[in-house]
Amino acid sequence: MSSHHQILQIRSDPFVLSHCCRHTRLTSSLTLQSPLKQPFSCLPFRWRRSYRGGVRSSTTETHGSKKEALVSETATTSIELKRVYPFHEIEPKWQRYWEDNRIFRTPDDVDTSKPKFYVLDMFPYPSGAGLHVGHPLGYTATDILARLRRMQGYNVLHPMGWDAFGLPAEQYAIETGTHPKTTTLKNIDRFRLQLKSLGFSYDWDRELSTTEPDYYKWTQWIFLQLYKRGLAYQAEVPVNWCPALGTVLANEEVVDGVSERGGHPVIRKPMRQWMLKITAYADRLLEDLDELEWPESIKEMQRNWIGRSEGAELNFSILDGEGRETDKEITVYTTRPDILFGATYMVVAPEHQLLSYFVTAEQKQQVEEYKDFASRKSDLERTELQKDKTGVFTGCYAKNPANGDAIPIWVADYVLASYGTGAIMAVPAHDTRDNEFALKYNIPIKWVVRNEANSSDDAKQVYPGLGIIENSSSLETGLDINQLSSKEAALKVIEWAERTGNGKKKVNYKLRDWLFARQRYWGEPIPILILDESGETIAISESELPLTLPELNDFTPTGTGEPPLSKAVSWVNTVDPSTGKPAKRETSTMPQWAGSCWYYLRFMDPKNPEALVDKEKEKYWSPVDVYVGGAEHAVLHLLYSRFWHKVLYDIGVVSTKEPFKCVINQGIILGEVQYTAWKDQEGNYVSADTEERLNEHQQVTIPEEKVIKSGDHFVLKEDPSIRLIPRVYKMSKSRGNVVNPDDVVLEYGADSLRLYEMFMGPFRDSKTWNTSGIEGVHRFLARTWRLVIGLPQSDGSFKDGTLVTDDEPTLEQLRTLHKCIAKVTEEIESTRFNTGISGMMEFVNAAYKWNNQPRGIIEPFVLLLSPYAPHMAEELWSRLGHPNSLAYESFPKANPDYLKNTTIVLPVQINGKTRGTIEVEEGCSEDDAFVLASQDDKLRKYLDGQSIKKRIYVPGKILNVILDRTNVKVTTK
């Protein structure tokens, strides 16, 4: 680095300097020259582009990573920040005001005669990375809704908290020795600071974290209610076990056989785990979906996850080596009992409990090897339709109850122990997967359903559909379903099975009971004791809650499958208070889902030490009116929350059957477009549309400034014959495309970021981030500022006061305003935030054409702007002479009288030929119409300087101006 001292000239206030210092320190010394004469040794966290009058500065070190800035090292640098409006002063000022005065606090006791509006974000996990610009999308939307409803007279509940237990903090503790609580509190502080910098109107008095004992006391209390009602139990179940992480992982935490976090190998193995009996509520979870104002796509995802189906359980007797029936049976569940005669083999899951009983000695080693092979796959991998089917013959046979045939029993991983009974009757003629397996292993195929739409003999293809049953009769068993339709045959098979003891009618669900234990330290302790003598589980007394986590310094996996809590020997070993018998505490902890299942209830009454939530407060605030979050939570989080809520409803804790009235999924904000080109071995560019083997060439990324659009494609600016490939990706640290909102706020202000995220496109759609795109809404805010305040003075500052007058508004001004009021109100309430901004832009464009800015027009517009850009709106409101915050001012209402369309489009002819149109009021006089025509830019050229012979005017129909060509020209000006 150059030894020259850098000179930084900043026209700013202490907030900007302190904000910069929080994020950056220079590796070289700096001298500050500013009106404040204040020492300064930093640059802003990240400059995205050069400011007018300045360039970027030297190497900076930010949060431990060095960043090269774009500047010559040999010259003294002068950076002057010129802002189009003083957001750097306005935003911290009003954030301090809101916090100091607790403007957005919802009182504990509200006037319940007023309507309520409970709007909630899916509260975040506070990761070490902090926010990126994708996070504020949903938060801004809920904030706009909350601000609107406050101004409309509602009691608004708009809280924020932290879903703070979880594996990432524990893994960080293992890697660094830092206690998870320390890391979590640090991350929460960072998230809170970032959220406050964006001006969100959260009631911070209600802030909560799932890791606080005062909170998880009630998570444990809910678990005890589940336990008492038989809805929490222990079972031996196959789980995703990650030896490296030392914990059980949910299916969604396993990707391609390795852990999502860390990429560690994951195996399937049976473990005794706590389970929650969510299947007991399957029907209610399904039926009550119809009452919800949720997107149909989310409801359909939940229906599919629950997966209710009707069919039959059928029993297949296991045969011994001599072909005789034993006293053991394999039960299968099928939705197609009509094709029972077509079952030519059976398949059991590798985890099936009877597998070790009937596998033959000759096949045992192969089966054991296959079980180990299958244990390394996730359920998703095992059931992938496109995967190659694998399996091993067990050496044993079972009896098909319909015809008495002995059919082979195979073990294969495409059958899961967690679905149905863990075994299937395989009908290769009428099931695609069974057919592929049968063809691979040369197993017989028997067709028993005739496809009426294709009666040719060529139809010996796999046919999974319904039709007419054939080849399905047995004198031995007394079952004959030939020539029946599939539906009739299914009913007859069920009736026969129930009569003969071979099976029964059955309703089944894809939904499995909820695996509710993790072998981790950083989670809620499960409030259960296990007696040493008997192994009996005992619930601890509710009076002993919360059962807090013991202090632990070693969070590493035990290597034995025992959770890290087992190392806290003095905490684990205890006695049962009721009997005095020695016991041990449960050492597994609850999954991260637990705390997030019910937090919406605690926000209603966060400080209550006596109850989860006060009944009257719950009755007033329930249900959540609007719940906003990502589509990735459309199934599990929402399903688990609904399950817990229904249990709480059954025991009288809550008054509603459902927790969330309306759920909205915001779209994803993708990283900026990346343009890819290819170069050959000589370094020459290769166009993406001319070479088939692009993968043989070097791939390079092209900066946006070197790209132009040509037709429907993107090409190199310097050589348009070279076509490029544009791609967008989710923001991630690994791709280096994460945009930090702190940077955007520093350069453009929080209001600009809020507006841009809402203006990018429809709220529910995915959108691509473009940093340059924020400049458009930034200019809009600057124009709004100048409209009310005026132009900056010569030194760049703005004078106090406004340009607003006390003139009476004109009819045109009133119509423009009320059109904007109607538009913005409707678009916010319909969550079409982008078009609401368009409505305000149209207003500002119109207002710039006026000769004055009446108070009766500007003040309502400032109130309209406030949900979107609250900092600017508060400042303008203050400068307009109001001593208090506008947060509870009445939101403007559109007057229908000003929304009526009382203008018409009048064609104008010159010498009988239509030359243009003008917009006139209904009932407009001939003279007024002529004046408007003569002022119209298009018509003026025909009238200017011409002598008028006569005018023909039909009100509301036409104005025809006849020119006198013989007379002296007379100007119309």
Side-chain angles (χ1 to χ4, degrees):
M1 287 297 300
S2 167
S3 61
H4 291 294
H5 284 200
Q6 313 289 330
I7 298 177
L8 182 68
Q9 295 180 326
I10 297 184
R11 184 175 292 120
S12 183
D13 71 356
F15 169 77
V16 178
L17 306 181
S18 63
H19 187 80
C20 296
C21 293
R22 283 201 304 270
H23 292 293
T24 311
R25 63 184 177 85
L26 285 180
T27 57
S28 62
S29 59
L30 291 170
T31 302
L32 173 71
Q33 295 182 350
S34 82
L36 300 170
K37 305 298 183 185
Q38 170 176 338
F40 186 66
S41 59
C42 69
L43 280 179
F45 178 70
R46 178 182 177 192
W47 300 108
R48 290 207 174 275
R49 47 184 48 78
S50 299
Y51 292 94
R52 286 172 288 178
V55 292
R56 303 183 193 184
S57 187
S58 57
T59 303
T60 63
E61 186 176 313
T62 309
H63 298 305
S65 64
K66 293 184 178 180
K67 296 191 174 185
E68 289 297 325
L70 308 177
V71 67
S72 167
E73 299 180 5
T74 58
T76 297
T77 302
S78 173
I79 299 181
E80 183 176 337
L81 302 181
K82 290 188 177 180
R83 295 182 171 89
V84 291
Y85 77 94
F87 63 82
H88 61 295
E89 298 171 353
I90 294 169
E91 293 180 355
K93 167 186 172 181
W94 287 103
Q95 288 165 17
R96 286 192 295 266
Y97 176 87
W98 293 331
E99 185 163 358
D100 292 346
N101 293 277
R102 299 165 78 193
I103 293 297
F104 306 115
R105 177 179 177 269
T106 303
D108 290 333
D109 298 311
V110 298
D111 179 1
T112 56
S113 65
K114 295 172 63 177
K116 65 92 178 178
F117 184 67
Y118 186 0
V119 57
L120 184 64
D121 300 292
M122 293 185 185
F123 71 168
Y125 174 76
S127 67
L131 298 176
H132 62 65
V133 292
H135 293 108
L137 179 65
Y139 304 155
T140 303
T142 58
D143 194 60
I144 291 171
L145 292 170
R147 289 176 178 273
L148 172 70
R149 290 295 189 233
R150 283 193 199 96
M151 299 173 77
Q152 291 177 330
Y154 287 71
N155 289 325
V156 172
L157 186 57
H158 187 38
M160 175 51 71
W162 317 104
D163 187 13
F165 275 129
L167 187 58
E170 186 160 339
Q171 279 302 109
Y172 187 76
I174 293 170
E175 294 164 5
T176 65
T178 307
H179 197 283
K181 184 175 182 179
T182 302
T183 304
T184 299
L185 291 176
K186 180 181 177 182
N187 293 346
I188 286 174
D189 288 342
R190 173 161 167 72
F191 263 67
R192 187 191 303 110
L193 181 67
Q194 288 184 296
L195 291 177
K196 287 186 175 182
S197 76
L198 295 172
F200 297 133
S201 61
Y202 294 124
D203 178 359
W204 287 106
D205 285 6
R206 293 175 183 261
E207 179 184 9
L208 57 82
S209 168
T210 56
T211 62
E212 294 300 321
D214 287 347
Y215 179 85
Y216 69 69
K217 166 186 177 178
W218 297 105
T219 309
Q220 293 172 332
W221 182 87
I222 295 172
F223 178 87
L224 291 180
Q225 310 317 305
L226 294 163
Y227 178 77
K228 292 172 185 177
R229 286 157 180 78
L231 296 171
Y233 64 96
Q234 284 188 302
E236 191 92 1
V237 293
V239 297
N240 299 313
W241 172 251
C242 180
L245 297 179
T247 191
V248 171
L249 300 177
N251 285 335
E252 61 273 13
E253 296 173 310
V254 181
V255 180
D256 297 329
V258 298
S259 61
E260 184 180 34
R261 181 174 177 84
H264 304 294
V266 175
I267 62 172
R268 299 280 290 177
K269 79 172 197 175
M271 291 184 68
R272 191 160 183 81
Q273 297 284 353
W274 282 98
M275 309 291 291
L276 296 189
K277 202 170 185 180
I278 190 174
T279 51
Y281 282 74
D283 282 328
R284 288 169 62 182
L285 289 167
L286 194 62
E287 292 163 3
D288 292 347
L289 282 171
D290 295 335
E291 302 175 16
L292 299 176
E293 299 174 22
W294 293 14
E296 192 57 38
S297 59
I298 297 180
K299 293 197 284 188
E300 192 60 26
M301 288 171 70
Q302 293 218 351
R303 291 187 188 104
N304 292 337
W305 191 268
I306 296 168
R308 186 183 190 277
S309 62
E310 294 184 2
E313 278 189 348
L314 299 172
N315 303 321
F316 289 68
S317 296
I318 298 174
L319 304 178
D320 64 17
E322 303 298 324
R324 295 186 297 263
E325 292 186 48
T326 68
D327 60 353
K328 299 290 185 181
E329 293 178 330
I330 298 175
T331 300
V332 304
Y333 171 78
T334 178
T335 59
R336 293 293 303 275
D338 59 308
I339 57 175
L340 176 57
F341 281 90
T344 58
Y345 68 104
M346 297 190 73
V347 179
V348 297
E351 305 86 2
H352 196 281
Q353 58 186 2
L354 289 179
L355 179 56
S356 60
Y357 166 78
F358 59 74
V359 64
T360 63
E362 294 81 5
Q363 293 297 109
K364 187 173 183 178
Q365 182 177 347
Q366 272 190 283
V367 169
E368 290 300 321
E369 290 175 353
Y370 186 79
K371 286 170 63 178
D372 180 68
F373 165 76
S375 73
R376 303 182 187 280
K377 295 183 181 181
S378 68
D379 287 355
L380 187 62
E381 290 175 291
R382 286 171 56 173
T383 55
E384 173 62 45
L385 292 177
Q386 303 304 320
K387 84 176 188 75
D388 182 42
K389 306 298 183 292
T390 62
V392 172
F393 178 43
T394 65
C396 189
Y397 291 80
K399 176 184 175 182
N400 185 327
N403 54 21
D405 290 351
I407 58 176
I409 306 172
W410 287 70
V411 56
D413 63 3
Y414 75 89
V415 175
L416 302 178
S418 58
Y419 180 68
T421 64
I424 66 166
M425 63 175 203
V427 186
H430 304 292
D431 182 274
T432 303
R433 290 186 305 174
D434 295 348
N435 184 267
E436 292 172 357
F437 191 91
L439 291 175
K440 179 174 180 179
Y441 293 105
N442 199 30
I443 299 173
I445 299 174
K446 180 181 179 181
W447 278 264
V448 294
V449 180
R450 184 170 70 248
N451 179 3
E452 292 186 288
N454 184 4
S455 59
S456 68
D457 291 336
D458 182 48
K460 295 303 182 184
Q461 305 284 335
V462 60
Y463 175 61
L466 304 180
I468 300 300
I469 304 300
E470 59 186 11
N471 302 324
S472 298
S473 175
S474 171
L475 291 174
E476 180 184 345
T477 63
L479 180 60
D480 182 359
I481 55 175
N482 278 335
Q483 303 309 310
L484 296 180
S485 68
S486 289
K487 186 175 182 180
E488 293 170 329
L491 294 174
K492 188 169 182 179
V493 169
I494 293 172
E495 183 274 328
W496 168 84
E498 291 180 333
R499 176 167 44 83
T500 60
N502 284 302
K504 61 182 179 180
K505 183 177 182 179
K506 177 73 174 178
V507 174
N508 198 45
Y509 301 90
K510 288 182 181 177
L511 180 66
R512 300 292 90 196
D513 281 345
W514 178 7
L515 196 157
F516 197 73
R518 297 291 186 270
Q519 284 61 53
R520 301 173 182 167
Y521 167 77
W522 194 232
E524 298 93 339
I526 295 175
I528 293 291
L529 302 180
I530 300 99
L531 297 181
D532 288 355
E533 288 183 2
S534 63
E536 180 186 357
T537 57
I538 305 291
I540 72 170
S541 169
E542 292 179 12
S543 63
E544 295 180 37
L545 299 179
L547 173 61
T548 57
L549 282 167
E551 288 298 321
L552 204 62
N553 295 320
D554 181 9
F555 314 102
T556 57
T558 60
T560 64
E562 285 292 313
L565 275 178
S566 63
K567 299 176 182 179
V569 178
S570 61
W571 180 86
V572 172
N573 293 321
T574 184
V575 295
D576 174 18
S578 61
T579 64
K581 294 180 178 179
K584 289 183 171 55
R585 299 191 189 278
E586 173 60 62
T587 53
S588 291
T589 53
M590 299 185 196
Q592 188 175 356
W593 302 104
S596 62
C597 274
W598 70 279
Y599 71 104
Y600 59 93
L601 293 171
R602 193 61 177 172
F603 277 138
M604 301 174 187
D605 192 16
K607 310 298 182 185
N608 191 337
E610 304 299 329
L612 184 151
V613 62
D614 177 80
K615 286 185 178 294
E616 292 303 314
K617 291 178 180 177
E618 184 279 326
K619 190 174 181 180
Y620 177 72
W621 287 113
S622 286
V624 176
D625 294 285
V626 176
Y627 193 33
V628 175
E632 65 272 19
H633 302 299
V635 176
L636 295 183
H637 162 62
L638 290 176
L639 200 62
Y640 294 158
S641 293
R642 294 179 62 221
F643 165 46
W644 276 32
H645 192 88
K646 289 182 183 302
V647 174
L648 294 173
Y649 176 76
D650 289 348
I651 64 177
V653 174
V654 299
S655 59
T656 62
K657 293 193 298 182
E658 290 286 340
F660 313 118
K661 181 180 179 181
C662 173
V663 170
I664 301 174
N665 293 139
Q666 81 268 22
I668 298 172
I669 294 184
L670 303 169
E672 296 192 74
V673 178
Q674 296 180 1
Y675 300 95
T676 303
W678 285 264
K679 287 185 175 181
D680 60 22
Q681 293 181 347
E682 286 73 37
N684 299 315
Y685 283 111
V686 177
S687 182
D689 63 335
T690 57
E691 284 280 341
E692 294 182 1
R693 298 168 153 189
L694 288 176
N695 59 341
E696 296 180 1
H697 300 301
Q698 179 189 2
Q699 186 172 306
V700 293
T701 300
I702 306 297
E704 183 180 8
E705 59 268 20
K706 295 185 178 182
V707 178
I708 59 171
K709 190 169 186 181
S710 176
D712 294 331
H713 305 287
F714 292 90
V715 297
L716 269 180
K717 184 182 293 185
E718 63 186 36
D719 184 357
S721 68
I722 303 299
R723 186 181 295 180
L724 311 175
I725 300 295
R727 292 191 179 95
V728 291
Y729 303 94
K730 284 186 68 174
M731 289 188 182
S732 66
K733 288 191 295 184
S734 62
R735 289 194 176 276
N737 63 348
V738 172
V739 179
N740 189 327
D742 296 350
D743 304 345
V744 181
V745 169
L746 185 60
E747 187 167 344
Y748 295 103
D751 284 343
S752 291
L753 176 59
R754 290 168 61 110
L755 250 71
Y756 178 59
E757 297 223 349
M758 294 297 96
F759 194 58
M760 291 173 73
F763 179 59
R764 293 166 176 79
D765 292 357
S766 294
K767 298 161 278 284
T768 302
W769 179 267
N770 185 344
T771 301
S772 61
I774 200 172
E775 294 172 354
V777 294
H778 191 58
R779 285 194 297 270
F780 161 68
L781 288 175
R783 294 189 75 219
T784 301
W785 177 262
R786 294 194 301 271
L787 180 72
V788 181
I789 302 301
L791 295 171
Q793 301 179 94
S794 58
D795 64 352
S797 64
F798 291 87
K799 65 179 183 179
D800 294 334
T802 69
L803 300 178
V804 172
T805 70
D806 291 323
D807 299 340
E808 284 295 318
T810 66
L811 183 61
E812 177 194 355
Q813 290 171 331
L814 287 168
R815 284 178 175 163
T816 302
L817 170 66
H818 285 270
K819 179 182 176 183
C820 184
I821 293 172
K823 176 77 170 177
V824 171
T825 305
E826 179 184 356
E827 301 306 78
I828 291 178
E829 292 183 339
S830 302
T831 64
R832 296 189 294 263
F833 304 106
N834 55 325
T835 48
I837 296 171
S838 297
M840 291 188 287
M841 289 178 170
E842 291 171 4
F843 173 88
V844 170
N845 289 338
Y848 263 91
K849 299 176 183 177
W850 301 337
N851 295 324
N852 63 352
Q853 307 300 334
R855 181 178 298 275
I857 299 297
I858 296 302
E859 287 194 348
F861 175 72
V862 170
L863 296 176
L864 283 182
L865 179 66
S866 64
Y868 286 91
H871 306 90
M872 174 179 282
E874 287 276 23
E875 181 67 18
L876 294 178
W877 190 250
S878 175
R879 292 192 180 211
L880 286 164
H882 300 280
N884 299 320
S885 168
L886 53 63
Y888 295 92
E889 293 291 328
S890 294
F891 199 76
K893 294 183 179 179
N895 186 334
D897 292 339
Y898 295 125
L899 300 178
K900 296 175 182 176
N901 187 7
T902 60
T903 61
I904 59 173
V905 176
L906 184 73
V908 178
Q909 294 183 341
I910 308 295
N911 290 334
K913 187 172 183 178
T914 301
R915 296 295 188 180
T917 60
I918 56 174
E919 193 171 289
V920 300
E921 294 289 329
E922 290 180 355
C924 177
S925 68
E926 178 182 332
D927 288 341
D928 287 342
F930 179 73
V931 169
L932 289 171
S934 63
Q935 293 174 345
D936 183 84
D937 290 339
K938 187 175 181 181
L939 296 169
R940 181 192 295 265
K941 64 182 180 181
Y942 297 104
L943 297 173
D944 195 19
Q946 300 296 323
S947 175
I948 309 301
K949 185 175 182 179
K950 66 176 180 177
R951 300 189 307 231
I952 302 170
Y953 181 60
V954 181
K957 299 294 184 181
I958 196 166
L959 170 65
N960 187 7
V961 181
I962 307 301
L963 304 178
D964 186 353
R965 302 288 189 183
T966 62
N967 291 344
V968 180
K969 295 181 180 179
V970 179
T971 182
T972 61
K973 292 183 180 178

